[in-house]
Amino acid sequence: MNRSEVVNEILKKKCSAVMTDSATTFAPSNIALVKYWGKRNAELNLPMTSSLSISLDGKGTQTTIQILDSHQDQIFLNNDALSNESLFAKRLISFLDLFRSQKNYHFKIQTENNIPTGAGLASSASGFASIILALNELFDWQLSKKELSILARMGSGSACRSLWSGFVKWNRGEREDGMDSYAEKLPYEWPELRIGLLIISEKEKSIGSREAMNRTVSTSKIYQKWPQQVAQDLKKIEQAIREKDFELLGETAEANAIAMHATMHDAFPPIHYDLPETLQLKNKIWKLRQKGFPIYFTQDAGPNLKLLFLQSQTEAIKKQFY
Ligand code: PMV
């Protein structure tokens, strides 16, 4: 199946009449503790492995969508009108192409991030998740969270995890059409757990995660060990969350991010996202930890770091890093 066949399968009994003038929705950004790295099907964004994330409370994307009486979409990012030729707009338009129905609808999309766009802070995840939520409202499809997760995945893999707060697991699934590859909220709460963003650069990353993943899978020799590492890390992280074992959570998440970056360093040409400041901050974190400070990091496809710590350490962390 290709992308539009999957979408048509999910929407087949749904009406495509516009039910409301406009719809506004919010989806949180999510940070993976066990990363999604590598696709087994690039068109459907089907992952090689399962992954597990935590959503950021109140940080993410708000999207407003309206039907336009035009033969073109109009896209606004953080209140700026974008050219439909820009990379951001092209990616969004090709996603919207899946949902125009026979009426060939065009849309005005206003999307606002309260996190930096494209800086490895997973804004594409919250972006596509909020768009699919907004389309669901606009057309009153009343889709289940499972169906919305599958549709969000068509925009960006990690978007399928951005439909919930708290801990979320994306199950890899086995089917070729990906109908069993969707995310679910895990039944655990850990209100004392904190994520701190250490923003080193807000610039767009030099190489996008899609290209970096594909290059890693096709050229890195150590990538073949990655699925095994993920399977072990998922068990440990789930145990850590269940038992509120912060040390196990931090150690596993940090090791998982380091292993993901190792597969990129092993790709050809190699991919390095670290800036000099990234390395300095990692060294600082490791030194603080040696002194008994309970703090860990994780890192996605970019130079910025996300700190993992407990609420009781908030003031001490602020003093050290902000
Ligand atoms: O969903 P994408 O294509 O933006 O890929 C996300 C990849 C990572 O952020 C590096 C890992 C993850 O699981 O979020």
Side-chain angles (χ1 to χ4, degrees):
M1 272 200 195
N2 62 26
R3 292 210 303 177
S4 40
E5 284 164 344
V6 170
V7 171
N8 291 342
E9 177 65 25
I10 290 179
L11 296 181
K12 68 185 170 199
K13 292 193 202 93
K14 304 290 173 186
C15 164
S16 64
V18 180
M19 303 305 279
T20 166
D21 290 342
S22 81
T24 299
T25 51
F26 174 82
S29 181
N30 75 76
I31 305 294
L33 300 172
V34 179
K35 307 291 183 190
Y36 148 55
W37 195 248
K39 302 172 204 259
R40 65 175 197 281
N41 176 324
E43 177 173 357
L44 300 180
N45 287 335
L46 292 180
M48 290 284 199
T49 69
S50 300
S51 55
L52 195 153
S53 60
I54 179 162
S55 291
L56 300 183
D57 230 8
K59 292 269 176 217
T61 307
Q62 177 172 295
T63 295
T64 300
I65 186 160
Q66 282 166 279
I67 296 286
L68 269 188
D69 191 10
S70 159
H71 54 275
Q72 279 197 58
D73 299 316
Q74 251 180 38
I75 295 168
F76 294 82
L77 172 62
N78 297 333
N79 293 320
D80 291 334
L82 293 188
S83 150
N84 284 6
E85 294 309 307
S86 67
L87 274 181
F88 182 96
K90 277 190 178 159
R91 195 163 162 210
L92 190 48
I93 289 167
S94 106
F95 183 66
L96 294 171
D97 285 345
L98 300 168
F99 304 99
R100 300 196 196 281
S101 83
Q102 278 122 349
K103 300 206 171 79
N104 198 20
Y105 289 122
H106 284 85
F107 306 96
K108 178 177 177 188
I109 304 270
Q110 287 162 284
T111 184
E112 276 173 53
N113 292 322
N114 58 11
I115 39 172
T117 304
L121 293 172
S123 54
S124 73
S126 51
F128 283 108
S130 67
I131 284 168
I132 203 66
L133 287 170
L135 285 166
N136 184 48
E137 254 182 46
L138 191 75
F139 292 115
D140 196 26
W141 289 327
Q142 300 186 17
L143 294 174
S144 65
K145 281 279 187 107
K146 167 182 161 180
E147 291 166 318
L148 291 168
S149 179
I150 293 174
L151 294 179
R153 166 167 56 74
M154 303 291 163
S156 154
S158 53
C160 79
R161 299 186 309 236
S162 265
L163 298 168
W164 296 267
S165 59
F167 296 106
V168 178
K169 185 172 179 194
W170 173 11
N171 291 302
R172 172 195 192 271
E174 297 299 328
R175 289 174 55 148
E176 278 186 20
D177 63 7
M179 291 300 188
D180 56 354
S181 184
Y182 54 89
E184 284 171 318
K185 185 175 167 71
L186 296 176
Y188 308 109
E189 304 287 334
W190 194 344
E192 300 80 22
L193 187 63
R194 291 286 179 276
I195 307 273
L197 303 180
L198 282 184
I199 300 181
I200 292 154
S201 165
E202 293 203 16
K203 280 208 205 112
E204 291 279 332
K205 49 202 173 201
S206 47
I207 158 167
S209 54
R210 175 174 292 259
E211 196 191 328
M213 264 185 219
N214 294 343
R215 192 191 296 171
T216 305
V217 174
S218 57
T219 65
S220 160
K221 292 195 186 60
I222 64 170
Y223 183 78
Q224 49 181 297
K225 297 215 178 102
W226 173 249
Q228 212 182 324
Q229 161 115 26
V230 169
Q232 286 166 0
D233 290 348
L234 281 169
K235 278 196 197 132
K236 288 190 203 163
I237 290 274
E238 284 184 64
Q239 183 193 339
I241 296 170
R242 250 193 336 265
E243 295 172 3
K244 293 207 170 91
D245 181 340
F246 177 68
E247 203 177 308
L248 182 63
L249 179 112
E251 266 174 18
T252 311
E254 189 174 297
N256 183 268
I258 291 172
M260 176 182 77
H261 282 268
T263 67
M264 295 186 224
H265 302 162
D266 187 50
F268 194 81
I271 302 154
H272 289 269
Y273 283 112
D274 282 1
L275 292 172
E277 296 90 320
T278 316
L279 281 172
Q280 276 163 19
L281 283 166
K282 284 182 188 174
N283 279 317
K284 180 166 179 175
I285 292 163
W286 290 324
K287 276 199 189 121
L288 284 170
R289 220 160 56 220
Q290 269 174 0
K291 289 190 208 150
F293 210 110
I295 173 182
Y296 297 85
F297 70 84
T298 183
Q299 182 183 9
D300 291 292
N304 300 317
L305 298 179
K306 290 101 191 185
L307 297 178
L308 302 169
F309 57 96
L310 291 173
Q311 184 186 18
S312 53
Q313 300 292 332
T314 307
E315 284 315 309
I317 298 277
K318 275 190 190 156
K319 263 194 211 132
Q320 288 289 345
F321 293 97
Y322 298 98

